[in-house]
Amino acid sequence: MLKRVFREFIKGLWEEIPPFRLVLGLCPTLAVTKRVEDAIGMGLAVIFVLTCSNVIVSSVRNFIPKQVRIACFIVVIATFVTIVELVMQAFTYHIYQALGIFIPLIVVNCILLGRAEAFASKNGIIYSFADGLGIGIGYTLSLTALAAIREIFGYGTFFNIPVFGPSFKPFSFMVKAPGAFVCLGLMLCIMNMFKK
Amino acid sequence: MDSYIVLIISCIFINNILLMQYLGNCPFLGVSKRMDTAFGMSMAVVFVIVMAGAVTWVVNYYILKPYDLEYLRTLSFILVIASLVQLVEMFLKKNIPALYAGLGIYLPLITTNCAVLGVCLINMKEEYDFLHTLVSSLSYSVGYGLALILFAAIRERILLARVPKPLQDTSIGLVTAGMFSLAFFGFKGMIH
Amino acid sequence: MIEGLLVMGGLGAILGLGLAIASKVFYVYVDPRIEAVEELLPGANCGGCGYPGCSANAEAIVKGESSPSSCVAASQEVIQQIAEIVGAKLELKEPEVAKPNCKYGVYEADRKYIYDGVRDCRAAILINGGEKECPIGCLGLGTCVKACPFGALSIGPDRLPVVNTEKCTGCGTCERVCPKGIIKLSSNSLAIVHEYTTDECTAPCQRACPAGIDIPAYIRAIREGDYAEALIIIKRSNPFPAVCGRICVHPCEYACRRNLIDEPVAINPLKRFVTDWEREKGMHVQVPRAPEREERIAVIGGGVEGLSAAYLLNRLGYNTKVHEATSKLGGLLWIGLPENRLPREVIEWDIKGILEAGVQVELNKMLGKDISVGSLFKEGYNAVLIATGGWDMKLYLSELVPDGFNPLPGVYLLIDLVRRKEIPIGSNCLIIGGGRSSLEAAKICKERGAKNVYILFRSSKQDSPIREEDLEKGVSVLFQTALTKMMGRDDKLEQVEVCEITEEGKEKEGSRRNIEIDTVIVGAGRFPELIYVRKDENSWETISPYAGPNVEQEVGIFRPGEAISDYKAAVEAIGSGRRMAASLYNYFRGLPVEPPSNMIRKDTEVLDVREVVNVRPVPRVKMAERSKDELINNPSLEISLGYTESEAREEAKRCLQCGLICYRKEKLN
Amino acid sequence: MRDILKLFLAVTIFSAVSGGLLSLVRSSTRARIEYQQLKFVKGPTLKEIMKGCQNDPITDRFKIKVGKKEETIFVGIFNGQPRAIALEAFGKGFHGPIGVLVGIDVKTNKIIGIGVTTHSETPGVGARVKTDPTFRAQFKGLPITQTFKVKADGGQIDAITGATISSRGVCNAVNNAIALYKKLRPEILKRLKNFKSKTLRS
């Protein structure tokens, strides 16, 4: 049992790491990875929402009529997202501002509904918790990696600390929309090279 | 009148929901492999975004605002959108099966299309009146469809090209989307 | 706290109520089995079932429009489960595999230019149809390989697709994706019913063969020493290889491309060689049989044509029984040919092979005397094939048959009528052809009480031998009209369908109509090939088998030169037997009973070469013959001795393995 | 029918519980969120205006009801006394409303400083009303008895080159703020009398 919990947790970190292996949740991946700080903020928000919603969905999975299953899952997710939104507003306002509209949009991040539908609605609470945590952390790692690349080249900083000398000219393509697409595409390519 | 024209151009090209605001990317990459599916998806998106835009405006101005409950926007909007999509699906299935056969399979995908919720939230943030909301919803969704259909055309061509193995499929799709987005940058100067 | 709870609760209540009501109002019953079936299907959405995806097929399976085994990718186990869900009887499916139909890769074929563009056939074809000279040549860029959902295709070293038959599920994705239509699904059934078309690679010999044997393929098999495979290839089109190998008029050899430099390949002796090998082994090689089908078919006539049709229908999965009027199968084979050219044991060998395959036989049963079309339908047959063919039955049997002998319901020969034999004449008569004697026939019909008499002419009024003043009252002449179908019940003819034909002998669109007719008088001297199929309990209709490439006029039955076969060559009878089988197969599968529109006909222009270059002349290997002394002592011994194995393989090497314009070239310096 | 009821109840209960839960979270974070918003939106400008004050004007704020709207008044403490207040008003700019925070000394009735909070003017041109310190400095120390106008309109303020409309918008905003202040002055003074700062530094 413990072994399975561990397995469900670990799979989110490599085997099914989003968005590389599970090509889901691309919008925030593209939008909030300009700076590492934002990416981590987004990642933490997703971890929280994903874990909580997985647990709740898993615990009520037997009471929900099938026809309104999606609506109910979305309500659960939306609730946690709003909680995160309020808490972020109250305590980390500048990250809230940077993430902007993408906080409420966590609701429609397909990872959340995808996990609720594909995993939590079929598995027990503990496994769902492990799954949510694992996938959430995996997602955060991916976001952070992408954000690190984009921030270092696009702004010449890492965690807002300059990493190049003052003569560095920022490669601002990286922090614009096209850079986000290209960068993610190339990272996906690198991941594919590792995949046998 | 001017404000509408500016709004239309800005929503379709300059702030293209897909390429500039990064919204609705999952279905974008998923259904752009073939022209006919891309077209079907575009039609469904236009349909749903315009309806959702109108309904959420009503919810916001007649329910949330008067009671100072704007923090419930996310929750109520998504609930409304999900129900709306499901209602539309059921309605089409029963009454217009021909249309359902065309759009039906895309409708469930749209619930989780962040472009829909995104457009609704942007409309609220910009505090548009009802007519502006409709125009902006329509323009955003047309912009989405435009990008999707153009992109599908390109991807059908990519299929013919010799792409290195690891770069195939989604990967090359994203890189192409990047080039595409770069092209849309060219519209930036249209309105100051 | 309270207002949030209330507002959201209220909103939820409204929406929940809306949804709940909508789910009743807009309720559409969805069979739960659809979902269950869809879950079982592999979800590859390959389209091999003919539906736009797995879910569409699931729906069709549950509705009964598609078979549980329609999914080509599903394992037998899954198919079994699906069949259990829908409670359908499982219909076994004949395995199909993709087969590329191009023999020479781009390096060997003639090229218009050298293509170095996007590596995809669909792109390459945009530039003047691809780099090959041949318009239907494989471009070898692997579009099919990329499309294959099961990884069963690869491009070989000669840049032609190679099929891994283990992995191939026969889904047909490659067939759909190939811009040149080069890769096609194939199975024994498809090979049996196949007609050569202009969009496939064919060799001159193949096109010349009246039976349509894939000659280059079997010669290649002989060269490679796979004699059993060679036999299967031959028997898909010709169940009499041992007979034909000796007596065939071999039009193929006249068409052989080697005529341009030396002598034709010994195509027919090579065929004889494999059958000699088969006889030496003492075991018949059979074409694998398709899964059992329900329909039972009666074949009338145990000659070459009837036996060929029966054998091939048997291989297509049908239950066939031959009804022969005499006490011996084989028909004209026994009479027309001297023993020293066609030893009797050879005939017996081929017939034995056909019977071993499972064709049933009933001897001494004459249609019109012992059995009738109506009685056969009563016995439960679904179709009756009339293959009385090769000899003129009426002449031959004239002493054996009683007056009023009537093999085909309501159909009589004009010659019998004018000879004043006792023929029952109904009230509505139709006379087909017969020139001016049709007038006499019409007169007789009127005398014997017919109310309406129709005379059918294919020619126009001016060209016909009939003059206005010849016509009696109650006789109407239909010019430029052909009989297309007969319909009836038990042993009675009730209706016929006619259509108008154009100057060119084609059917005029939309001109088909039905006439009440109970008696048909045929001007011809014999009955043609015809198929009766049962429609319901005891009513039937006819279908006329489609004509082969050599027939000039195609529309209608009882048309001039219609009898597809005559007694000039066994191989033609075999070919028409095969076309009868193919026609019936198409009919049962709901396909139109006609050849592909682009079938290669006698006058079809096909791409060909005028000269052969880079080929070394090699003399044809002569067959050994029995010594004169031996023959004088025993004149019935076979003269020719056939090839030895080494001779056969030597001769097979002479084959140029032609395609449309490709052939095997050597490096001559 | 039972199916329908179940469906209906599930959605209703789920949304009601969520709504309630969120209201709870909202009410417990409300004050903090408001503070954060003010701090990030108005904080920098306010700091500029109330340079040298001994408290945190964002925390030390109160609201006065004007009709249906509530006006927020920020209080600055100088020399231990609540000497200055700041309030926000809007004027029409080139692309939309310009929000201006105006600081006023309640004793002398003179402006102690202004700052632009929100605007949507053209970057590098109209936006300079926010970034250009010399433009802002023109208002400092002027008494509130006069109406502010740009020189082109016969007033006393040098407009920013090429951004007359934006500058005019700022002037209007300041005028509006002063008008508001004049209207609320008695109420403000009353409140200031018993004012106790929560963030007073010595």
Side-chain angles (χ1 to χ4, degrees), chain C residues 396-413:
Chain C
Y396 181 75
L397 296 174
S398 53
E399 285 141 40
L400 304 172
V401 270
D403 262 5
F405 161 77
N406 173 218
L408 307 187
V411 182
Y412 305 92
L413 294 182

Side-chain angles (χ1 to χ4, degrees), chain A residues 67, chain B residues 87 90, chain C residues 18-28, chain D residues 4 7:
Chain A
Q67 299 94 313
Chain B
L87 272 174
M90 285 193 268
Chain C
L19 278 182
I21 292 171
S23 72
K24 277 281 175 215
V25 173
F26 301 127
Y27 180 72
V28 179
Chain D
I4 290 196
L7 246 151

